Amino acid sequence: TGKEFDVRAKCVINATGPFTDSVRKMDDQEVPNICQPSAGVHIVMPGYYSPDNMGLLDPATSDGRVIFFLPWEKMTIAGTTDSPTDVTSHPIPTEEDINFILSEVRNYLGADVEVRRGDVLAAWSGIRPLVTNPDSKDTQSLSRNHVVTVSDSGLITIAGGKWTTYRAMARDTIDAAIQEHNLKAGSCKTMGLQLEGAQDWSPTLYIRLVQDYGLESEVAQHLASTYGDKAFEVAKIAQVTGKRWPIVGKRLVSEFPYIEAEVVYGVKEYARTAVDMISRRTRLAFLNVQAAEEALPRIVDIMGKELNWCEQKKFEQLETAKTFLYYEMGYKVKTDQLTDRSEISLVPSDIERYKKRFRMFDKDKKGFITILDVQRVLESISVQMDENTLHEILNEVDLNKNGQVELDEFLQLMSAIQKGRVSGSRLAVLMKSAEENLRRREAIPVDRSGGGL
């Protein structure tokens, strides 16, 4: 409603990560900074870049920063950079940082494995709230440990630390609050305290989900490992698919095990934005920005129904989430690999081969292809594809956004693919597949069929 009100408490704890000092200065403007923010970029690549059960960490890279290479959610996560940064709510990964990680990754793979820029499926920058003294300039020598401070007014600040030490951080913070403000409490119980969903979890819990609800095995494993014994609550609200198998559990996108019921469950656990749903309640935004964008309309529809959003609210949520993917999750730096200023670096024989492929679609020699041209070729090889999908496929390559793909745009695409800057282009794969299909349908000349009679 926008209404403001006061909240009173015996104790205030400042646990605001990189925003630590701005809150401390609300308490005392003269206090020196204790937090120096550092930006760390991570990238996600296809799972075939790393073994399923083995990670790699090298603390001595070319410039002294740590690099790691780990299997994660059937993908590969690699990082990281470490550089001083300004505090912002919306950190953005840079092309320079992405290329640094890729160049380091190449050192750990066989010479026969080509590490391509186009294989970066998502990229993001996080801000580490490193604890330092105000005079330090070198973030690599800063402490990753946490610090608890108490101001003259009794403000408790917990700064620094990392995800893996969150229980120790919480214990030390609450201990300080109890001591400073004479709060009544028993001994700390965090050691051995199970997380929500852990009580009845077992490694084989997913089998019951498959047997009792008819979920796909991959989906059941995902639900069991993500929600623990709460996975049954998600399964109970999963929609019937109408197929023989799986019986329930409609996927948000085909290549990931996230299902529509997770969106409904997320709302029950207070998710209120589409950004929250694609980045934290599911990990789609971190695993593949294009897949996340593909799932967004359905996610917004489900959330809109659960939360009674009007059409304007749904539109705002959709656009905010798209902006988040574009800038903060690496979609922009990914799409920048193919622009209307991209060079065409192809040998003459390749240019001629790609021109021939293009002309198979551009029968009227217009110099460009449209959805109608692609539909005509697909129909000739008995392939059906809906118009919206075709529009999305062409739009990925339509650099000047005029509703058609010109020959130069197609050659720029093929050049970028050869250089490894772009991968997984649906138009390139579709056109190559159609060309091969049409060739197989051509009549075999008499001289190649044994000469005839």
Side-chain angles (χ1 to χ4, degrees), residues 41-45 61-63 65 67 69 78-81 92-108 115-120 122-124 330 333-334 336-337 419-422:
V41 170
H42 301 74
I43 64 174
V44 164
M45 305 170 77
T61 59
S62 59
D63 67 352
R65 289 182 284 192
I67 196 88
F69 203 61
T80 178
T81 59
I92 296 171
T94 67
E95 185 63 21
E96 181 184 0
D97 286 332
I98 292 169
N99 283 324
F100 164 76
I101 296 170
L102 289 175
S103 66
E104 292 297 330
V105 161
R106 290 186 180 97
N107 296 328
Y108 307 103
V115 179
R116 305 179 300 179
R117 173 62 181 82
D119 283 338
V120 176
W124 65 92
V333 283
K334 185 179 180 70
D336 283 350
Q337 299 308 304
K419 287 183 175 180
R421 295 201 313 268
V422 171

Side-chain angles (χ1 to χ4, degrees), residues 216-350:
E216 291 176 80
S217 181
E218 183 188 14
V219 170
Q221 288 175 329
H222 153 65
L223 294 180
S225 65
T226 303
Y227 300 92
D229 60 29
K230 298 294 181 184
F232 292 99
E233 294 185 21
V234 182
K236 285 174 185 174
I237 56 177
Q239 284 190 313
V240 174
T241 64
K243 301 175 184 176
R244 184 183 61 79
W245 190 262
I247 299 171
V248 301
K250 292 183 179 178
R251 293 192 183 214
L252 289 166
V253 282
S254 59
E255 67 263 46
F256 292 99
Y258 303 109
I259 60 174
E260 292 182 358
E262 292 181 75
V263 181
V264 178
Y265 186 80
V267 170
K268 293 181 187 298
E269 288 198 334
Y270 313 114
R272 289 297 178 267
T273 67
V275 169
D276 190 9
M277 199 64 74
I278 59 174
S279 59
R280 291 176 287 275
R281 307 312 175 102
T282 70
R283 286 299 193 188
L284 269 177
F286 289 89
L287 295 170
N288 190 314
V289 285
Q290 287 180 286
E293 186 185 48
E294 187 182 317
L296 262 178
R298 183 61 186 140
I299 289 172
V300 170
D301 279 345
I302 296 170
M303 293 187 75
K305 184 178 179 181
E306 293 294 315
L307 296 166
N308 297 316
W309 286 346
C310 64
E311 289 302 314
Q312 178 62 26
K313 177 73 171 179
K314 287 167 67 174
F315 175 77
E316 290 171 0
Q317 285 291 319
L318 191 62
E319 291 305 304
T320 300
K322 284 182 177 179
T323 301
F324 166 75
L325 291 174
Y326 189 70
Y327 290 105
E328 295 181 52
M329 298 310 300
Y331 211 151
K332 182 181 186 298
V333 283
K334 185 179 180 70
T335 54
D336 283 350
Q337 299 308 304
L338 186 63
T339 69
D340 53 10
R341 298 181 301 278
S342 299
E343 293 181 5
I344 299 174
S345 304
L346 297 167
V347 297
S349 60
D350 282 341

Side-chain angles (χ1 to χ4, degrees), residues 36-173:
Q36 184 166 319
S38 166
V41 170
H42 301 74
I43 64 174
V44 164
M45 305 170 77
Y48 54 70
Y49 275 101
S50 63
D52 287 343
N53 298 305
M54 185 175 73
L56 180 150
L57 184 142
D58 185 354
T61 59
S62 59
D63 67 352
R65 289 182 284 192
V66 172
I67 196 88
F68 62 79
F69 203 61
L70 303 167
W72 179 58
E73 297 288 317
K74 299 189 177 179
M75 296 292 182
T76 300
I77 184 171
T80 178
T81 59
D82 193 358
S83 51
T85 185
D86 295 326
V87 177
T88 171
S89 297
H90 306 285
I92 296 171
T94 67
E95 185 63 21
E96 181 184 0
D97 286 332
I98 292 169
N99 283 324
F100 164 76
I101 296 170
L102 289 175
S103 66
E104 292 297 330
V105 161
R106 290 186 180 97
N107 296 328
Y108 307 103
L109 298 175
D112 57 331
V113 179
E114 183 186 2
V115 179
R116 305 179 300 179
R117 173 62 181 82
D119 283 338
V120 176
L121 304 173
W124 65 92
S125 176
I127 299 180
R128 303 183 188 91
L130 305 183
V131 183
T132 180
N133 69 64
D135 302 322
S136 176
K137 301 294 183 191
D138 179 12
T139 62
Q140 284 148 264
S141 65
L142 300 174
S143 172
R144 261 69 174 175
N145 296 328
H146 64 272
V147 171
V148 178
T149 66
V150 182
S151 74
D152 292 341
S153 70
L155 174 69
I156 310 288
T157 293
I158 169 71
K162 49 196 152 199
W163 288 118
T164 48
T165 59
Y166 74 98
R167 289 191 187 237
M169 292 170 68
R171 180 198 61 211
D172 293 351
T173 305

